[in-house]
């Protein structure tokens, strides 16, 4: 390039730098497109010239331009530019099992205080877990270190340290030490995961030993009728049409009012709430259902039949947890009304406010779509983070099952997970089958495992649906000779006007929706 061309390009740089420094409000086209194609092309030419002739940046007239370029880089690094690039790099490294590379990228995101979207957070957790061994023990230690850093990035580090011999304050609830701090569910985690105490919301609990009835052939007094009374299929999804594609079909069964006979209030214990120590936002509501009501639910599921759940492809095929059997139940209004009224005094009245300022909608109900899970010996649901869900239901006129049944002008969106324990101590071997939460400790590279022991008729509640505050958890393996029954559903909040929490337009399950993504407890 000759001197004349250089001077011409330099003049363009100076002219364009002046334009760049002009506030948008002073531009005659500010009310139209902020940057048109000609301005963008000219800006690119300016930057290319400065790359070719960096000495031009030495002039005083370039001071403003350099300042603005530096600010642009900072915005890109903290916002959707470099942040998105880091997200992509982390995702790729984890999917390729390059955990050392992923850890470097994660630490960069951590030091820059960049926050990933919830969807990215969930994918990263799944990729780390895909290296787990068949017995549920962790695989590559570097994957666990990545998992620890992922939780710190998500700003979920709120450890509460309770001495191993300390009782929880209050009339109910206690902490029991597992033994070794490095042993979780009987497996040595090598110090990367420190097993804390098992939490029992109540020591002594009246219960029906359902597993004992099944083994003795006494679950039913007489063979159950077929079809089962007050339950009917409301939707069926072929395996190939599930999201993601599965090896097994899925059927949703709806119940009629009275399908589960509820005890009168005079024969029930009053529900009480106990916070889970060391796990921010998690609590247990005791005595929501009676042992007899839990037994009725298990009877219905056992009579109608369990379905297998096994992904056809993707990282989920490396998990043993998906082999847990389930029964998908669309609950009736009378059962939901009892459930909701029992826990309403104890749940947050409004949804948490996210780092983006979303949230704040009022609590409105419980998602009618239940997944009843049956976990037999050694079955588990590996660590995951729950996503948010719309309100499932039936179309009021056609009776069609809808993944999102709330009106467009009054959408509902879940923000808390509800786990209903249908059996407990008598069926689940000592210190197994817990719901275990994983949180960062005060030492980078070390996580804490806080386990909650199932109690028949109790409900475990904890937040989900946001990058900040959603809890990493697993349905830990059931011990030898045991069985575990649990319902997983959601607490619904108003979503209208709350940004990312507004659910998509209603879609039928026959179209897939998002309902086939994993749940668990």
């Amino acid at each position: 390039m000759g001197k004349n061309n250089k001077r011409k390009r330099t003049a363009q740089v100076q002219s364009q730098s002046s334009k760049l420094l002009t506030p948008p409000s002073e531009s005659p086209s500010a009310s139209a497109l902020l940057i048109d194609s000609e301005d963008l092309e000219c800006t690119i030419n300016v930057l290319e010239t400065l790359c070719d002739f960096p000495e031009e940046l030495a002039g005083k007239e370039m001071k403003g331009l350099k300042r603005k370029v530096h600010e642009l880089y900072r915005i890109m690094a903290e916002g959707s530019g470099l942040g998105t690039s880091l997200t992509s790099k982390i995702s790729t490294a984890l999917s390729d099992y390059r955990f050392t590379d992923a850890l470097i990228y994660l630490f960069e995101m951590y030091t820059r205080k960049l926050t990933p979207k919830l969807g990215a957070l969930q994918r990263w957790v799944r990729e780390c877990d895909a290296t787990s061994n068949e017995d549920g023990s962790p695989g590559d230690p570097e994957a666990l270190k990545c998992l620890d850093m992922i939780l710190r990035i998500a700003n979920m580090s709120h450890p509460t340290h309770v001495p191993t011999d300390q009782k929880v304050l209050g009339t109910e609830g206690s902490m029991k030490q597992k033994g070794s701090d490095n042993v979780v569910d009987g497996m040595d985690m090598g110090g990367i995961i420190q097993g804390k105490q098992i939490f029992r919301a109540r020591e002594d609990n009246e219960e029906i030993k359902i597993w004992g009835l099944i083994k003795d052939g006494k679950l039913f007094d007489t063979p159950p009728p077929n079809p089962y009374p007050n339950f009917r299929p409301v939707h069926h999804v072929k395996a190939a049409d599930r999201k993601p594609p599965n090896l097994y079909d899925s059927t949703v069964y709806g119940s009629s009012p009275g399908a589960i006979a509820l005890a009168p209030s005079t024969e029930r214990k009053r529900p009480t709430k106990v916070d889970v120590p060391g796990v921010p936002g998690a609590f247990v509501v005791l005595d929501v259902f009676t042992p007899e009501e839990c037994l009725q639910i298990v009877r219905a599921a056992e009579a109608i039949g369990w379905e297998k759940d096994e992904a056809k492809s993707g990282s989920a095929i490396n998990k043993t947890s998906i082999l847990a059997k389930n029964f998908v139940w669309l609950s009736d209004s009378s059962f939901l009304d009892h459930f909701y009224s029992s826990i309403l005094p104890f749940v947050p009245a409004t949804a948490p406010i996210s780092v983006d300022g979303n949230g704040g909608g009022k609590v409105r109900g419980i998602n009618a779509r239940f997944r009843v899970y049956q976990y037999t010996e050694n079955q588990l649901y590996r660590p995951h983070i729950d996503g948010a869900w719309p309100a499932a239901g039936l179309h009021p006129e056609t009776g069609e099952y809808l993944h999102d049944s709330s009106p467009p002008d009054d959408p509902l969106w879940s923000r808390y997970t509800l786990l209903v324990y249908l059996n407990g101590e008598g069926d689940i071997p000592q210190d197994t089958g817990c719901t275990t939460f994983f949180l960062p400790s005060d030492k980078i590279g070390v996580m804490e495992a806080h386990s909650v022991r199932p109690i028949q008729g109790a409900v475990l509640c904890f937040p989900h649906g946001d990058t900040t505050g959603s809890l990493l958890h697993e349905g830990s393996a059931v011990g030898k000779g045991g069985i575990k029954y649990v319902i997983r559903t959601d607490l619904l909040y108003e979503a209208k006007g709350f940004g990312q929490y507004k659910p998509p337009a209603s879609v039928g399950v026959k179209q897939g929706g998002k309902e086939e993504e994993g749940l668990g407890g």
Side-chain angles (χ1 to χ4, degrees):
M1 181 181 295
K3 289 185 177 181
N4 290 337
N5 287 337
K6 179 180 176 181
R7 291 192 185 97
K8 182 178 180 181
R9 292 288 296 273
T10 301
Q12 290 176 334
V13 171
Q14 294 172 337
S15 175
Q16 186 63 20
S17 66
S18 175
K19 180 183 292 187
L20 287 173
L21 294 174
T22 301
S25 60
E26 297 178 14
S27 171
S29 59
S31 60
L33 188 63
L34 185 60
I35 300 177
D36 60 30
S37 58
E38 291 184 1
D39 286 342
L40 181 60
E41 183 179 0
C42 185
T43 302
I44 294 172
N45 288 334
V46 168
L47 297 175
E48 287 177 345
T49 300
L50 292 175
C51 290
D52 292 338
F53 304 99
E55 65 272 13
E56 297 294 334
L57 289 168
K60 291 183 178 180
E61 66 276 11
M62 294 294 175
K63 184 176 180 180
L65 177 63
K66 289 189 289 185
R67 184 172 61 251
K68 291 299 178 183
V69 169
H70 177 73
E71 290 180 7
L72 177 62
Y73 173 79
R74 178 182 56 80
I75 292 172
M76 292 174 62
E78 296 178 357
S80 61
L82 183 57
T84 301
S85 176
L86 271 177
T87 297
S88 177
K89 288 178 181 178
I90 293 167
S91 298
T92 301
L94 289 175
S95 64
D96 292 341
Y97 304 110
R98 293 185 288 108
F99 296 114
T100 300
D101 291 343
L103 192 58
I104 293 172
Y105 297 139
L106 286 165
F107 189 74
E108 181 178 354
M109 179 170 276
Y110 176 69
T111 56
R112 291 181 178 274
K113 294 181 171 56
L114 303 177
T115 303
K117 298 294 185 182
L118 178 61
L121 193 69
Q122 292 175 301
R123 289 194 304 272
W124 295 348
V125 167
R126 287 196 296 266
E127 295 296 350
C128 290
D129 178 63
T131 64
S132 298
N133 300 317
E134 290 187 359
D135 63 357
S137 61
D140 194 323
E142 295 301 311
L144 290 180
K145 293 179 182 178
C146 288
L147 194 57
D148 172 72
M149 188 56 66
I150 289 169
L151 296 182
R152 295 176 192 278
I153 287 171
N155 194 30
M156 290 190 281
S157 181
H158 303 283
T160 300
H161 300 286
V162 180
T164 57
D165 61 348
Q166 180 177 332
K167 291 286 183 178
V168 178
L169 296 178
T171 58
E172 295 183 288
S174 68
M175 303 288 282
K176 289 292 187 67
Q177 189 174 4
K178 290 190 174 184
S180 170
D181 276 349
N182 297 337
V183 174
V184 180
D185 293 321
M187 300 171 187
D188 188 354
M189 300 302 177
I192 299 177
I193 298 180
Q194 294 183 345
K196 295 301 178 180
Q197 306 87 356
I198 289 180
F199 172 66
R200 286 172 169 80
R202 181 167 58 205
E203 284 295 332
D204 299 318
N205 193 57
E206 297 178 5
E207 63 176 56
I208 295 176
K209 298 180 180 179
I210 296 176
W211 186 220
L213 294 176
I214 293 175
K215 290 189 291 184
D216 294 339
K218 298 180 179 179
L219 184 64
F220 298 95
D221 296 330
T222 60
N226 186 12
Y228 199 72
N230 298 313
F231 282 85
R232 64 183 179 88
V234 295
H235 190 74
H236 183 78
V237 185
K238 290 291 186 181
D241 296 331
R242 295 177 66 179
K243 305 295 182 181
N246 207 284
L247 296 180
Y248 302 96
D249 294 357
S250 178
T251 303
V252 179
Y253 288 86
S255 62
S256 302
I260 304 299
L262 298 170
S265 59
T266 55
E267 299 178 10
R268 316 184 66 90
K269 291 182 179 180
R270 185 175 181 178
T272 54
K273 175 185 175 181
V274 184
D275 291 325
V276 179
V279 184
F283 58 92
V284 175
V285 181
L286 296 163
D287 299 313
V288 176
F289 299 102
T290 67
E292 174 61 30
E293 291 161 355
C294 294
L295 176 60
Q296 291 182 60
I297 296 169
V298 174
R299 279 177 174 159
E302 290 282 352
I304 295 171
W306 302 94
E307 294 179 338
K308 292 184 178 180
D309 183 8
E310 186 172 354
K312 187 176 182 180
S313 60
S315 61
I317 63 175
N318 296 320
K319 298 181 183 180
T320 59
S321 60
I322 55 174
L323 299 180
K325 296 178 182 178
N326 67 89
F327 168 69
V328 186
W329 171 24
L330 185 71
S331 178
D332 57 88
S333 58
S334 63
F335 189 90
L336 281 175
D337 289 345
H338 164 73
F339 190 173
Y340 185 51
S341 63
S342 298
I343 67 171
L344 183 59
F346 311 110
V347 301
T350 57
I353 304 296
S354 73
V355 292
D356 298 324
N358 295 308
K362 295 180 180 179
V363 65
R364 290 280 297 278
I366 293 173
N367 195 345
R369 185 178 187 272
F370 295 179
R371 279 207 187 216
V372 187
Y373 282 95
Q374 180 206 67
Y375 293 92
T376 54
E377 181 178 332
N378 292 330
Q379 286 189 319
L380 71 160
Y381 204 107
R382 295 294 295 143
H384 60 286
I385 294 174
D386 293 335
W389 297 78
L394 299 177
H395 193 284
E397 297 177 358
T398 66
E400 178 188 10
Y401 177 81
L402 298 174
H403 173 55
D404 177 9
S405 64
S406 55
D409 61 346
D410 186 24
L412 302 180
W413 202 236
S414 73
R415 293 299 304 276
Y416 281 80
T417 296
L418 301 176
L419 295 181
V420 183
Y421 296 119
L422 300 178
N423 65 335
E425 298 277 355
D427 294 337
I428 305 172
Q430 183 74 11
D431 295 350
T432 69
C434 299
T435 301
T436 301
F437 296 94
F438 299 91
L439 295 101
S441 70
D442 52 8
K443 179 181 178 182
I444 290 181
V446 177
M447 289 181 289
E448 296 178 349
H450 297 260
S451 297
V452 177
R453 181 72 170 160
I455 292 179
Q456 190 173 56
V459 178
L460 174 63
C461 183
F462 54 92
H464 72 221
D466 187 15
T467 300
T468 301
S470 297
L471 295 169
L472 176 67
H473 63 286
E474 73 172 14
S476 299
V478 175
K480 184 177 181 180
I483 198 167
K484 174 184 174 183
Y485 295 99
V486 62
I487 297 174
R488 196 289 197 194
T489 188
D490 316 279
L491 190 61
L492 299 169
Y493 287 80
E494 294 172 344
K496 186 175 182 180
F498 298 112
Q500 62 178 304
Y501 301 115
K502 181 180 180 180
S506 297
V507 292
V509 176
K510 64 182 179 181
Q511 297 175 338
K514 295 183 178 181
E515 76 158 49
E516 301 303 336
E517 296 176 0
L519 302 173

